[in-house]
mmCIF file with all atom_site columns, all heavy atoms in Angstrom:
data_model
loop_
_atom_site.group_PDB
_atom_site.id
_atom_site.type_symbol
_atom_site.label_atom_id
_atom_site.label_alt_id
_atom_site.label_comp_id
_atom_site.label_asym_id
_atom_site.label_entity_id
_atom_site.label_seq_id
_atom_site.pdbx_PDB_ins_code
_atom_site.Cartn_x
_atom_site.Cartn_y
_atom_site.Cartn_z
_atom_site.occupancy
_atom_site.B_iso_or_equiv
_atom_site.pdbx_formal_charge
_atom_site.auth_seq_id
_atom_site.auth_comp_id
_atom_site.auth_asym_id
_atom_site.auth_atom_id
_atom_site.pdbx_PDB_model_num
ATOM 1   N N   . ARG A 1 20 ? -3.678 4.424  16.027 1.00 0.00 ? 37 ARG A N   1
ATOM 2   C CA  . ARG A 1 20 ? -2.274 4.840  15.700 1.00 0.00 ? 37 ARG A CA  1
ATOM 3   C C   . ARG A 1 20 ? -1.828 5.861  16.736 1.00 0.00 ? 37 ARG A C   1
ATOM 4   O O   . ARG A 1 20 ? -0.705 5.856  17.199 1.00 0.00 ? 37 ARG A O   1
ATOM 5   C CB  . ARG A 1 20 ? -2.267 5.478  14.364 1.00 0.00 ? 37 ARG A CB  1
ATOM 6   C CG  . ARG A 1 20 ? -2.023 4.450  13.300 1.00 0.00 ? 37 ARG A CG  1
ATOM 7   C CD  . ARG A 1 20 ? -1.700 5.274  11.993 1.00 0.00 ? 37 ARG A CD  1
ATOM 8   N NE  . ARG A 1 20 ? -1.664 4.352  10.932 1.00 0.00 ? 37 ARG A NE  1
ATOM 9   C CZ  . ARG A 1 20 ? -0.813 4.476  9.901  1.00 0.00 ? 37 ARG A CZ  1
ATOM 10  N NH1 . ARG A 1 20 ? -0.060 5.517  9.840  1.00 0.00 ? 37 ARG A NH1 1
ATOM 11  N NH2 . ARG A 1 20 ? -0.903 3.563  8.897  1.00 0.00 ? 37 ARG A NH2 1
ATOM 12  N N   . TRP A 1 21 ? -2.714 6.740  17.060 1.00 0.00 ? 38 TRP A N   1
ATOM 13  C CA  . TRP A 1 21 ? -2.439 7.789  18.022 1.00 0.00 ? 38 TRP A CA  1
ATOM 14  C C   . TRP A 1 21 ? -2.134 7.192  19.415 1.00 0.00 ? 38 TRP A C   1
ATOM 15  O O   . TRP A 1 21 ? -1.143 7.553  20.020 1.00 0.00 ? 38 TRP A O   1
ATOM 16  C CB  . TRP A 1 21 ? -3.611 8.794  18.116 1.00 0.00 ? 38 TRP A CB  1
ATOM 17  C CG  . TRP A 1 21 ? -3.557 9.731  19.275 1.00 0.00 ? 38 TRP A CG  1
ATOM 18  C CD1 . TRP A 1 21 ? -2.719 10.784 19.370 1.00 0.00 ? 38 TRP A CD1 1
ATOM 19  C CD2 . TRP A 1 21 ? -4.416 9.721  20.377 1.00 0.00 ? 38 TRP A CD2 1
ATOM 20  N NE1 . TRP A 1 21 ? -2.942 11.461 20.588 1.00 0.00 ? 38 TRP A NE1 1
ATOM 21  C CE2 . TRP A 1 21 ? -3.974 10.773 21.221 1.00 0.00 ? 38 TRP A CE2 1
ATOM 22  C CE3 . TRP A 1 21 ? -5.477 8.894  20.817 1.00 0.00 ? 38 TRP A CE3 1
ATOM 23  C CZ2 . TRP A 1 21 ? -4.572 11.084 22.418 1.00 0.00 ? 38 TRP A CZ2 1
ATOM 24  C CZ3 . TRP A 1 21 ? -6.081 9.239  22.030 1.00 0.00 ? 38 TRP A CZ3 1
ATOM 25  C CH2 . TRP A 1 21 ? -5.624 10.325 22.886 1.00 0.00 ? 38 TRP A CH2 1
ATOM 26  N N   . ARG A 1 22 ? -2.971 6.199  19.826 1.00 0.00 ? 39 ARG A N   1
ATOM 27  C CA  . ARG A 1 22 ? -2.671 5.589  21.112 1.00 0.00 ? 39 ARG A CA  1
ATOM 28  C C   . ARG A 1 22 ? -1.337 4.887  21.099 1.00 0.00 ? 39 ARG A C   1
ATOM 29  O O   . ARG A 1 22 ? -0.638 4.934  22.055 1.00 0.00 ? 39 ARG A O   1
ATOM 30  C CB  . ARG A 1 22 ? -3.786 4.543  21.351 1.00 0.00 ? 39 ARG A CB  1
ATOM 31  C CG  . ARG A 1 22 ? -5.111 5.194  21.854 1.00 0.00 ? 39 ARG A CG  1
ATOM 32  C CD  . ARG A 1 22 ? -6.241 4.225  21.832 1.00 0.00 ? 39 ARG A CD  1
ATOM 33  N NE  . ARG A 1 22 ? -7.440 4.966  22.279 1.00 0.00 ? 39 ARG A NE  1
ATOM 34  C CZ  . ARG A 1 22 ? -7.851 5.076  23.548 1.00 0.00 ? 39 ARG A CZ  1
ATOM 35  N NH1 . ARG A 1 22 ? -7.201 4.448  24.449 1.00 0.00 ? 39 ARG A NH1 1
ATOM 36  N NH2 . ARG A 1 22 ? -8.879 5.821  23.886 1.00 0.00 ? 39 ARG A NH2 1
ATOM 37  N N   . LYS A 1 23 ? -0.992 4.264  20.010 1.00 0.00 ? 40 LYS A N   1
ATOM 38  C CA  . LYS A 1 23 ? 0.196  3.520  19.841 1.00 0.00 ? 40 LYS A CA  1
ATOM 39  C C   . LYS A 1 23 ? 1.379  4.499  19.965 1.00 0.00 ? 40 LYS A C   1
ATOM 40  O O   . LYS A 1 23 ? 2.344  4.237  20.654 1.00 0.00 ? 40 LYS A O   1
ATOM 41  C CB  . LYS A 1 23 ? 0.227  2.807  18.518 1.00 0.00 ? 40 LYS A CB  1
ATOM 42  C CG  . LYS A 1 23 ? 1.316  1.792  18.431 1.00 0.00 ? 40 LYS A CG  1
ATOM 43  C CD  . LYS A 1 23 ? 1.080  0.887  17.172 1.00 0.00 ? 40 LYS A CD  1
ATOM 44  C CE  . LYS A 1 23 ? 2.355  0.057  16.893 1.00 0.00 ? 40 LYS A CE  1
ATOM 45  N NZ  . LYS A 1 23 ? 3.195  0.630  15.900 1.00 0.00 ? 40 LYS A NZ  1
ATOM 46  N N   . SER A 1 24 ? 1.221  5.643  19.360 1.00 0.00 ? 41 SER A N   1
ATOM 47  C CA  . SER A 1 24 ? 2.327  6.653  19.428 1.00 0.00 ? 41 SER A CA  1
ATOM 48  C C   . SER A 1 24 ? 2.522  7.087  20.810 1.00 0.00 ? 41 SER A C   1
ATOM 49  O O   . SER A 1 24 ? 3.647  7.411  21.259 1.00 0.00 ? 41 SER A O   1
ATOM 50  C CB  . SER A 1 24 ? 2.046  7.749  18.448 1.00 0.00 ? 41 SER A CB  1
ATOM 51  O OG  . SER A 1 24 ? 1.032  8.618  18.958 1.00 0.00 ? 41 SER A OG  1
ATOM 52  N N   . LEU A 1 25 ? 1.487  7.234  21.585 1.00 0.00 ? 42 LEU A N   1
ATOM 53  C CA  . LEU A 1 25 ? 1.630  7.679  23.032 1.00 0.00 ? 42 LEU A CA  1
ATOM 54  C C   . LEU A 1 25 ? 2.443  6.745  23.796 1.00 0.00 ? 42 LEU A C   1
ATOM 55  O O   . LEU A 1 25 ? 3.404  7.045  24.513 1.00 0.00 ? 42 LEU A O   1
ATOM 56  C CB  . LEU A 1 25 ? 0.266  7.820  23.683 1.00 0.00 ? 42 LEU A CB  1
ATOM 57  C CG  . LEU A 1 25 ? -0.665 8.951  23.180 1.00 0.00 ? 42 LEU A CG  1
ATOM 58  C CD1 . LEU A 1 25 ? -1.937 8.953  23.960 1.00 0.00 ? 42 LEU A CD1 1
ATOM 59  C CD2 . LEU A 1 25 ? -0.003 10.294 23.217 1.00 0.00 ? 42 LEU A CD2 1
ATOM 60  N N   . HIS A 1 26 ? 2.173  5.405  23.615 1.00 0.00 ? 43 HIS A N   1
ATOM 61  C CA  . HIS A 1 26 ? 2.987  4.313  24.271 1.00 0.00 ? 43 HIS A CA  1
ATOM 62  C C   . HIS A 1 26 ? 4.410  4.375  23.838 1.00 0.00 ? 43 HIS A C   1
ATOM 63  O O   . HIS A 1 26 ? 5.279  4.130  24.606 1.00 0.00 ? 43 HIS A O   1
ATOM 64  C CB  . HIS A 1 26 ? 2.358  2.972  23.993 1.00 0.00 ? 43 HIS A CB  1
ATOM 65  C CG  . HIS A 1 26 ? 1.022  2.726  24.730 1.00 0.00 ? 43 HIS A CG  1
ATOM 66  N ND1 . HIS A 1 26 ? 0.926  2.679  26.112 1.00 0.00 ? 43 HIS A ND1 1
ATOM 67  C CD2 . HIS A 1 26 ? -0.234 2.625  24.220 1.00 0.00 ? 43 HIS A CD2 1
ATOM 68  C CE1 . HIS A 1 26 ? -0.327 2.525  26.414 1.00 0.00 ? 43 HIS A CE1 1
ATOM 69  N NE2 . HIS A 1 26 ? -1.072 2.416  25.310 1.00 0.00 ? 43 HIS A NE2 1
ATOM 70  N N   . GLU A 1 27 ? 4.587  4.644  22.551 1.00 0.00 ? 44 GLU A N   1
ATOM 71  C CA  . GLU A 1 27 ? 5.969  4.662  22.016 1.00 0.00 ? 44 GLU A CA  1
ATOM 72  C C   . GLU A 1 27 ? 6.816  5.787  22.581 1.00 0.00 ? 44 GLU A C   1
ATOM 73  O O   . GLU A 1 27 ? 7.991  5.657  22.741 1.00 0.00 ? 44 GLU A O   1
ATOM 74  C CB  . GLU A 1 27 ? 5.929  4.701  20.500 1.00 0.00 ? 44 GLU A CB  1
ATOM 75  C CG  . GLU A 1 27 ? 5.646  3.293  19.971 1.00 0.00 ? 44 GLU A CG  1
ATOM 76  C CD  . GLU A 1 27 ? 5.336  3.297  18.453 1.00 0.00 ? 44 GLU A CD  1
ATOM 77  O OE1 . GLU A 1 27 ? 5.334  4.330  17.847 1.00 0.00 ? 44 GLU A OE1 1
ATOM 78  O OE2 . GLU A 1 27 ? 5.166  2.168  17.909 1.00 0.00 ? 44 GLU A OE2 1
ATOM 79  N N   . TYR A 1 28 ? 6.197  6.941  22.898 1.00 0.00 ? 45 TYR A N   1
ATOM 80  C CA  . TYR A 1 28 ? 6.905  8.030  23.470 1.00 0.00 ? 45 TYR A CA  1
ATOM 81  C C   . TYR A 1 28 ? 7.648  7.611  24.712 1.00 0.00 ? 45 TYR A C   1
ATOM 82  O O   . TYR A 1 28 ? 8.819  7.901  24.947 1.00 0.00 ? 45 TYR A O   1
ATOM 83  C CB  . TYR A 1 28 ? 5.945  9.180  23.876 1.00 0.00 ? 45 TYR A CB  1
ATOM 84  C CG  . TYR A 1 28 ? 5.496  10.046 22.714 1.00 0.00 ? 45 TYR A CG  1
ATOM 85  C CD1 . TYR A 1 28 ? 4.244  10.622 22.754 1.00 0.00 ? 45 TYR A CD1 1
ATOM 86  C CD2 . TYR A 1 28 ? 6.353  10.301 21.635 1.00 0.00 ? 45 TYR A CD2 1
ATOM 87  C CE1 . TYR A 1 28 ? 3.786  11.421 21.680 1.00 0.00 ? 45 TYR A CE1 1
ATOM 88  C CE2 . TYR A 1 28 ? 5.929  11.146 20.612 1.00 0.00 ? 45 TYR A CE2 1
ATOM 89  C CZ  . TYR A 1 28 ? 4.668  11.676 20.602 1.00 0.00 ? 45 TYR A CZ  1
ATOM 90  O OH  . TYR A 1 28 ? 4.201  12.489 19.632 1.00 0.00 ? 45 TYR A OH  1
ATOM 91  N N   . THR A 1 29 ? 6.980  6.897  25.587 1.00 0.00 ? 46 THR A N   1
ATOM 92  C CA  . THR A 1 29 ? 7.611  6.524  26.857 1.00 0.00 ? 46 THR A CA  1
ATOM 93  C C   . THR A 1 29 ? 8.226  5.142  26.848 1.00 0.00 ? 46 THR A C   1
ATOM 94  O O   . THR A 1 29 ? 8.670  4.604  27.843 1.00 0.00 ? 46 THR A O   1
ATOM 95  C CB  . THR A 1 29 ? 6.579  6.478  27.985 1.00 0.00 ? 46 THR A CB  1
ATOM 96  O OG1 . THR A 1 29 ? 5.608  5.457  27.715 1.00 0.00 ? 46 THR A OG1 1
ATOM 97  C CG2 . THR A 1 29 ? 5.931  7.849  28.191 1.00 0.00 ? 46 THR A CG2 1
ATOM 98  N N   . GLY A 1 30 ? 8.364  4.535  25.604 1.00 0.00 ? 47 GLY A N   1
ATOM 99  C CA  . GLY A 1 30 ? 8.941  3.233  25.533 1.00 0.00 ? 47 GLY A CA  1
ATOM 100 C C   . GLY A 1 30 ? 8.018  2.194  26.220 1.00 0.00 ? 47 GLY A C   1
ATOM 101 O O   . GLY A 1 30 ? 8.434  1.297  26.880 1.00 0.00 ? 47 GLY A O   1
ATOM 102 N N   . LYS A 1 31 ? 6.726  2.396  26.023 1.00 0.00 ? 48 LYS A N   1
ATOM 103 C CA  . LYS A 1 31 ? 5.684  1.505  26.602 1.00 0.00 ? 48 LYS A CA  1
ATOM 104 C C   . LYS A 1 31 ? 5.793  1.408  28.135 1.00 0.00 ? 48 LYS A C   1
ATOM 105 O O   . LYS A 1 31 ? 5.579  0.345  28.637 1.00 0.00 ? 48 LYS A O   1
ATOM 106 C CB  . LYS A 1 31 ? 5.728  0.134  25.969 1.00 0.00 ? 48 LYS A CB  1
ATOM 107 C CG  . LYS A 1 31 ? 5.407  0.149  24.471 1.00 0.00 ? 48 LYS A CG  1
ATOM 108 C CD  . LYS A 1 31 ? 5.168  -1.288 23.958 1.00 0.00 ? 48 LYS A CD  1
ATOM 109 C CE  . LYS A 1 31 ? 4.647  -1.305 22.510 1.00 0.00 ? 48 LYS A CE  1
ATOM 110 N NZ  . LYS A 1 31 ? 5.664  -0.819 21.602 1.00 0.00 ? 48 LYS A NZ  1
#
Side-chain angles (χ1 to χ4, degrees):
R37 273 191 188 214
W38 168 69
R39 282 167 182 270
K40 193 167 169 262
S41 75
L42 294 180
H43 289 293
E44 281 170 357
Y45 281 147
T46 63
K48 295 191 174 67

